[in-house]
Amino acid sequence: MIELKQVSKWYGAVQVLNDCSAQIHKGEVVVVCGPSGSGKSTLIKTINALEPIQQGEIWVDSIPLHDPKTNLPKLRSRVGMVFQHFELFPHLSVTENLTLAQVKVLGRSLDEAKKHGLEYLERVGLIAHKDKFPGQLSGGQQQRVAIARALSMDPIVMLFDEPTSALDPEMVGEVLDVMVSLAKEGMTMVVVTHEMGFARKVSNRVIFMDVGGRILEDCSRDEFFGNPDARQPRTREFLDKILHH
Amino acid sequence: MLDLDFSFYNWAMISDFVLKGFYFSLVLTLIATLGGIVLGTLLALMRLSEKPFLVWPALVYVNGMRSIPLVMVILWFFLLVPLIIGQPIGAEISAVVTFIAFEAAYFSEIIRAGIQSIPRGQVMAGEALGMTYAQNMRLVVLPQAFRNMLPVMLTQTIILFQDTSLVYAIGAYDMLKGFETAGKLFGRPVEAYLLAAVVYFVICYSLSRLVRRLHQKIAIIR
């Protein structure tokens, strides 16, 4: 469903993505991990063209993102994205956050959008907060609303960019729970995260990136966690550091 | 010693001379604020765009306007434009056009700062939901930016109200002119200017107190 072919990207003279290739199939849950500065957030943002690329090809649902003629807003409306810092719209209520793009982008009626959005709000367990503003919610609650907002658009794939990194430790669980249930339902997901517990529990595949924006590993979960001897030295070093705490 | 006589200052004088001028100052302020914000938003968006052919005209216009005294712009417009179009323009119309054009430059800088104060992540969130640039600006960025900018904009409007007195240069009848005319008529120019100062002070000071309270209120909500 998603295909990256030899994608490279530079910020000025600094190369942040180096010849990255990967495929993500329908229904797969792929975790992208790696040290900071490895370009994993940049990589995931290229999948809905929030970050332009200078070289290579990206295909999403057979649509070429690298083609300047592609209608990017239309494509993005079908790709759900959850950000590290939630990025709910602070001037709008929770319900308005859920309905805004459904109405303005997908052209749904307000009633329809409300009904649809509130179903997802119910799913993430926050229906009681529908009239509040984002600033009145905790970080974990905001992130769950953000997930509901993305789901309300009925995306074909969900991208998560470090969804729990900005949360207090006790709120990480509630967000991961929502993500786990999504994964179990068969949603196609690409997740940039350091939560190796999540990767072990629900991912199909793990992509490991290293500084300089290169993909070092791209293998099944069982291979990644179960067969450390076959991993690159750099990967082993990283896993040692984050798993032994 | 100073021998002041304020006896000419009564309701008849106010209604005969000052009110008409006050009304013009007020209308000029409101029109120039609205027009300045609309045009200023456009200029700000041009300056923030990535296209040089939009950035440069806005840059030249804004910096040009901000580098010359308002009174000169008022005079130029009043004197030069009739030469170009071949017929005179009234002082009132001339003042309105000039003030909109001039204030747009100042408002555009306020609005540009306001837009830039909105985190990049908000823009990305709007884009990620499939919104076009225009939708993102109208529905996500500008509503937040204007809210942040409101106190600064109101302050600019208060300054603008004071600046309307500069239309004296082209003989338009504003509030100051009202006081001046009355002062001349009653032979009490010093008293008239003193009174004008008091009135300007009371209006502008109370408005800026209001803005301060508003600022605190907005600050609490955020």
Side-chain angles (χ1 to χ4, degrees), chain A residues 23-174:
Chain A
Q23 284 187 14
I24 290 139
H25 301 107
K26 193 167 160 43
E28 259 188 327
V29 176
V30 176
V31 162
V32 182
C33 60
S36 40
S38 59
K40 49 196 192 307
S41 280
T42 309
L43 185 76
I44 201 175
K45 284 188 184 120
T46 62
I47 298 177
N48 60 357
L50 286 181
E51 292 279 4
I53 58 171
Q54 279 89 42
Q55 242 176 52
E57 295 183 2
I58 298 177
W59 297 79
V60 175
D61 199 27
S62 308
I63 297 163
L65 255 74
H66 48 278
D67 184 345
K69 286 197 287 278
T70 298
N71 181 345
L72 291 179
K74 186 159 182 226
L75 182 107
R76 289 185 187 126
S77 71
R78 303 171 60 212
V79 177
M81 176 121 195
V82 175
F83 295 86
Q84 182 177 3
H85 296 286
F86 334 130
E87 305 300 351
L88 293 177
F89 304 130
H91 60 300
L92 301 177
S93 72
V94 166
T95 304
E96 287 166 335
N97 264 280
L98 293 168
T99 55
L100 182 71
Q102 288 190 68
V103 172
K104 301 289 177 181
V105 176
L106 300 180
R108 291 178 180 159
S109 73
L110 187 59
D111 283 344
E112 195 187 351
K114 243 185 203 162
K115 188 165 167 285
H116 199 63
L118 293 181
E119 271 169 28
Y120 282 108
L121 193 63
E122 172 98 63
R123 251 203 71 170
V124 300
L126 293 171
I127 194 75
H129 302 280
K130 68 181 166 66
D131 296 321
K132 288 193 181 164
F133 282 80
Q136 298 169 290
L137 303 178
S138 72
Q141 291 172 329
Q142 288 191 49
Q143 194 61 303
R144 281 147 69 198
V145 173
I147 294 173
R149 178 175 72 176
L151 289 173
S152 309
M153 301 291 284
D154 300 320
I156 54 171
V157 54
M158 286 282 285
L159 310 175
F160 293 83
D161 183 12
E162 303 205 29
T164 56
S165 306
L167 295 175
D168 289 340
E170 72 259 38
M171 290 170 187
V172 170
E174 62 189 73

Side-chain angles (χ1 to χ4, degrees), chain A residues 4-24:
Chain A
L4 288 85
K5 287 185 192 162
Q6 294 169 327
V7 171
S8 290
K9 177 182 172 69
W10 288 263
Y11 284 126
V14 184
Q15 185 158 16
V16 286
L17 292 178
N18 188 348
D19 205 25
C20 296
S21 296
Q23 284 187 14
I24 290 139

Side-chain angles (χ1 to χ4, degrees), chain A residues 73 76 87-88 90-91 104, chain B residues 122 127-130 135 139 144:
Chain A
R76 289 185 187 126
E87 305 300 351
L88 293 177
H91 60 300
K104 301 289 177 181
Chain B
Q122 286 283 304
E127 284 177 356
L129 285 165
Q135 286 175 325
L139 302 166
Q144 293 184 61

Side-chain angles (χ1 to χ4, degrees), chain A residues 209-220:
Chain A
M209 294 182 76
D210 196 15
V211 179
R214 271 187 324 129
I215 294 181
L216 275 195
E217 310 272 0
D218 181 352
C219 57
S220 75

